[in-house]
């Protein structure tokens, strides 16, 4: 069961995720690329898509925190922590790119965080194999979603594309690791509900 220390650490993590800029150890993908001359429409489309991706990373932080809170096995907790570190880098990259594009982050981030945290904690309570299976499916869906963004991002915006490309590679890796650590394949109806929920999130975050 989660103890008080874990709850305090979780709360601290939530505040830092929502209120302070994320840090990255790896260089931001595409730093070496020149900034493209985007027109206003392209710039706002890129900023909106990167806002959606930033929300995805806010959700990833919360899911991982929630899952780690209730995961049972120490090794599973370790796996979750490692993936969460990479998610923090994604958070930093998307946040930085939003700023470069003069965009803004979602106003609903506290809501996204709270909802995802609850879902993650619930998945953790179901036991490690379902927890990891849920994680793998989430990562697969995120990876597919990022693929969709690569076709929607303005072609000239190579800097955003470099970030999304590396994120997609990382998310696919997270899915593979979760399954390799004993994740169970989720039933199809659960996968469909997850898809519908993420579609609501991505459509809303595009605007708000
Ligand atoms: Fe990520
Ligand atoms: Fe991931």
């Amino acid at each position: 069961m989660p103890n008080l220390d874990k709850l305090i650490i979780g709360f601290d993590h939530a505040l830092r995720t929502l209120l302070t800029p994320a840090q990255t150890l790896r260089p931001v993908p595409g730093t070496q690329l020149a900034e493209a001359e985007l027109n206003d429409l392209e710039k706002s489309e890129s900023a909106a898509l990167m806002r959606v991706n930033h929300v995805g990373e806010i959700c990833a932080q919360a899911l991982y925190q929630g899952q780690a809170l209730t995961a049972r096995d120490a090794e599973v907790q370790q796996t979750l922590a490692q993936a969460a570190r990479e998610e923090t880098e994604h958070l930093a990259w998307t946040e930085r790119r939003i700023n470069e594009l003069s965009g803004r982050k979602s106003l609903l981030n506290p809501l996204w965080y709270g909802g995802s945290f609850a879902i993650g904690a619930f998945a953790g309570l179901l036991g490690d194999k379902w927890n990891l299976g849920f994680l793998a499916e989430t990562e697969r869906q995120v990876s597919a979603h990022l693929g969709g963004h690569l076709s929607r991002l303005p072609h000239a915006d190579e800097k955003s594309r470099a970030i999304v490309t590396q994120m997609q590679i990382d998310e696919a890796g997270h899915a593979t690791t979760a399954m390799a650590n004993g994740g169970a394949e989720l039933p199809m109806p659960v996968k469909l509900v997850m898809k519908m929920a993420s579609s609501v999130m991505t459509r809303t975050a595009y605007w708000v």
Side-chain angles (χ1 to χ4, degrees):
M1 280 303 284
N3 58 32
L4 188 62
D5 284 353
K6 276 185 167 180
L7 282 173
I8 293 171
I9 292 169
F11 189 63
D12 174 67
H13 193 279
L15 289 181
R16 270 186 290 125
T17 302
L18 292 169
L19 301 176
T20 62
Q23 304 298 322
T24 181
L25 281 178
R26 282 181 290 174
V28 182
T31 332
Q32 76 288 359
L33 298 167
E35 188 64 70
E37 296 224 354
L38 304 171
N39 63 36
D40 286 353
L41 210 65
E42 289 173 326
K43 214 170 170 184
S44 72
E45 174 70 357
S46 280
L49 294 176
M50 293 313 275
R51 173 168 57 249
V52 172
N53 293 329
H54 181 264
V55 166
E57 296 303 329
I58 291 277
C59 293
Q61 290 292 319
L63 277 176
Y64 276 105
Q65 286 296 315
Q67 286 178 291
L69 189 72
T70 46
R72 288 152 208 197
D73 184 75
E75 216 168 297
V76 171
Q77 289 187 3
Q78 214 43 40
T79 307
L80 294 171
Q82 172 54 34
R85 273 189 283 278
E86 290 188 3
E87 304 297 1
T88 307
E89 300 197 308
H90 298 170
L91 192 66
W93 301 346
T94 47
E95 185 172 357
R96 184 179 302 200
R97 190 63 192 143
I98 289 172
N99 289 336
E100 287 171 354
L101 292 161
S102 315
R104 57 158 182 82
K105 296 188 279 184
S106 171
L107 300 171
L108 302 176
N109 278 342
L111 191 74
W112 305 127
Y113 193 101
S116 303
F117 186 90
I119 293 170
F122 177 71
L125 286 175
L126 296 177
D128 287 342
K129 77 172 188 173
W130 294 114
N131 195 9
L132 289 167
F134 171 74
L135 177 60
E137 179 57 22
T138 306
E139 297 284 4
R140 278 189 214 125
Q141 290 190 12
V142 173
S143 183
H145 154 86
L146 291 172
H149 272 202
L150 282 175
S151 52
R152 285 175 67 189
L153 276 167
H155 201 70
D157 187 3
E158 288 189 57
K159 281 174 103 59
S160 299
R161 304 178 74 83
I163 291 172
V164 173
T165 301
Q166 185 57 50
M167 279 167 53
Q168 195 185 21
I169 293 169
D170 292 346
E171 313 303 12
H174 297 159
T176 310
T177 311
M179 290 311 274
N181 278 277
E185 202 62 50
L186 300 186
M188 191 50 81
V190 177
K191 292 184 184 182
L192 283 175
V193 171
M194 288 168 70
K195 265 196 190 135
M196 288 194 295
S198 67
S199 159
V200 170
M201 181 276 273
T202 53
R203 279 162 204 268
T204 312
Y206 183 89
W207 299 105
V208 192

